[in-house]
Amino acid sequence: MLRYILSRLGQSLILLLIVSFIGFAVLTLAPGGPLSQFALSPGMTQEQIDKIAAQMGLDRPVWIQYFDWLRHLVVGDWGTSYRDGQSVLHVIGSHLFATLLLMGTATVISVTLGSSIGIYSALKRGGTFDYAMTVFAMVALSIPTFWFGLIAIYVFSLNLGWLPAGNMYTVGDGSLIDYLRHLIMPAMVLALVDVAIWSRYMRTSTLNVVKQDFVRTAKAKGLTRRRVLLKHIVGNSLVPMITLAGLQLPMVLGGALVTETVFTWPGMGRLFLDSLGYSDYPVVMGLLMASAMLVLIGNLLADLTVALIDPRIRLD
């Protein structure tokens, strides 16, 4: 187990290095750049722009800029935001809780609903519920997330007035109920597509388990239907779903970017778009690295969890 963990950590470091290089190269080759914001200022001369570039270290060769940034990253200095002069870690940290809250809530909703729908669809295969959930999954996977968000705002906010249209809380309130009212719509919209995915995978996994010999043996022993379902079918069906949870992290992060923008949720996704529009490259690179770390850690934890609960799997 220890050897496996060390091996995965080594692979993760290599992947982070590749991600950082590609991200830095793409931002460097992109048109505009950090200096484009200063060039738009009235009365700004080329000499002044060159002086600002020298102060920011942008007049050096790209490979020197990259290794200098990487050296500082290793020691915990992620740079300084071009926009407000704050530490990149401080900027990301101030938005991290909002994203984790949204992603965590959406994940709990999608796993709970998706697993329940998938199991019931498998047990009632070919029935009305199974066909209805298949249609729901196809619709949810075919329509963009932002469209669901706009429809939710139009129906539940503008027409019915049940829920706020955006933000994380009401200024001057900040109560738990207020946080929950602001969280319901973005979390449900973000979870919608994942519910469809989880229900399909869980249905397939459950159908595979139901056909196994140990399930038939349990039924032959006279165990009740409830005990066979809870002890033998559900537990074994959930094992491959843990791996899926790790693989779903990039999709959830991508969905959070869109959802946070639609609902003006102050998370990392919205910060990424704002920083990209402002050409705040240190923050963009910091968000890229933080997202990559979250995905790699999530996948590692998923693999370790599967190995711990399933004795058939050995991590050597």
Side-chain angles (χ1 to χ4, degrees):
M1 178 72 77
L2 180 60
R3 191 195 318 179
Y4 174 79
I5 294 175
L6 293 176
S7 174
R8 285 296 301 269
L9 288 176
Q11 295 173 15
S12 299
L13 289 176
I14 295 174
L15 286 173
L16 285 175
L17 186 64
I18 295 173
V19 168
S20 69
F21 177 77
I22 294 176
F24 199 92
V26 170
L27 290 178
T28 302
L29 296 175
L35 297 177
S36 61
Q37 302 293 332
F38 300 100
L40 297 175
S41 301
M44 182 68 69
T45 64
Q46 185 60 44
E47 182 180 354
Q48 291 172 320
I49 294 177
D50 294 339
K51 185 177 180 180
I52 294 174
Q55 292 174 347
M56 298 170 67
L58 300 176
D59 59 336
R60 299 172 299 171
V62 175
W63 65 272
I64 294 181
Q65 294 182 43
Y66 171 72
F67 282 109
D68 186 57
W69 171 83
L70 187 62
R71 177 174 60 85
H72 284 85
L73 181 74
V74 171
V75 298
D77 180 11
W78 289 33
T80 303
S81 171
Y82 291 157
R83 180 162 48 175
D84 51 22
Q86 292 186 353
S87 166
V88 170
L89 282 176
H90 174 75
V91 174
I92 295 177
S94 63
H95 293 77
L96 181 61
F97 172 74
T99 293
L100 293 180
L101 176 63
L102 180 59
M103 288 177 55
T105 306
T107 300
V108 171
I109 294 173
S110 61
V111 170
T112 304
L113 289 180
S115 299
S116 302
I117 292 172
I119 293 172
Y120 194 77
S121 296
L123 297 178
K124 301 294 182 180
R125 182 182 181 184
T128 303
F129 182 84
D130 186 25
Y131 284 122
M133 290 302 99
T134 300
V135 172
F136 158 74
M138 295 303 103
V139 172
L141 292 171
S142 302
I143 299 178
T145 303
F146 75 87
W147 188 87
F148 284 120
L150 295 176
I151 293 299
I153 292 174
Y154 178 77
V155 174
F156 297 106
S157 239
L158 299 180
N159 282 356
L160 300 176
W162 291 353
L163 298 169
N167 292 319
M168 189 174 175
Y169 57 89
T170 303
V171 178
D173 190 338
S175 63
L176 178 60
I177 299 299
D178 184 62
Y179 272 98
L180 291 176
R181 292 183 69 248
H182 283 80
L183 179 62
I184 290 174
M185 272 205 298
M188 290 299 296
V189 168
L190 181 57
L192 189 60
V193 174
D194 287 336
V195 167
I197 295 174
W198 270 85
S199 66
R200 293 294 89 194
Y201 277 106
M202 194 64 188
R203 178 182 181 274
T204 302
S205 180
T206 303
L207 288 174
N208 290 334
V209 171
V210 168
K211 300 174 183 177
Q212 298 298 316
D213 292 336
F214 64 85
V215 174
R216 288 194 288 267
T217 301
K219 292 179 180 178
K221 287 182 177 180
L223 297 180
T224 62
R225 179 182 177 88
R226 177 184 177 84
R227 188 172 182 183
V228 172
L229 175 64
L230 296 179
K231 186 176 181 180
H232 297 280
I233 297 178
V234 174
N236 287 280
S237 299
L238 284 173
V239 172
M241 297 298 101
I242 298 174
T243 303
L244 176 64
L247 297 175
Q248 283 290 100
L249 272 176
M251 182 176 293
V252 176
L253 278 170
L257 187 150
V258 177
T259 306
E260 289 177 3
T261 303
V262 172
F263 290 96
T264 60
W265 187 266
M268 291 170 57
R270 187 179 172 198
L271 175 64
F272 179 83
L273 289 180
D274 291 344
S275 301
L276 202 58
Y278 195 81
S279 298
D280 195 351
Y281 289 172
V283 175
V284 173
M285 284 299 301
L287 288 169
L288 180 64
M289 297 304 294
S291 301
M293 289 178 185
L294 285 175
V295 171
L296 292 173
I297 292 173
N299 278 278
L300 177 59
L301 291 178
D303 289 346
L304 293 177
T305 303
V306 171
L308 289 175
I309 66 176
D310 192 345
R312 298 171 300 176
I313 298 176
R314 292 190 58 186
L315 300 180
D316 296 322

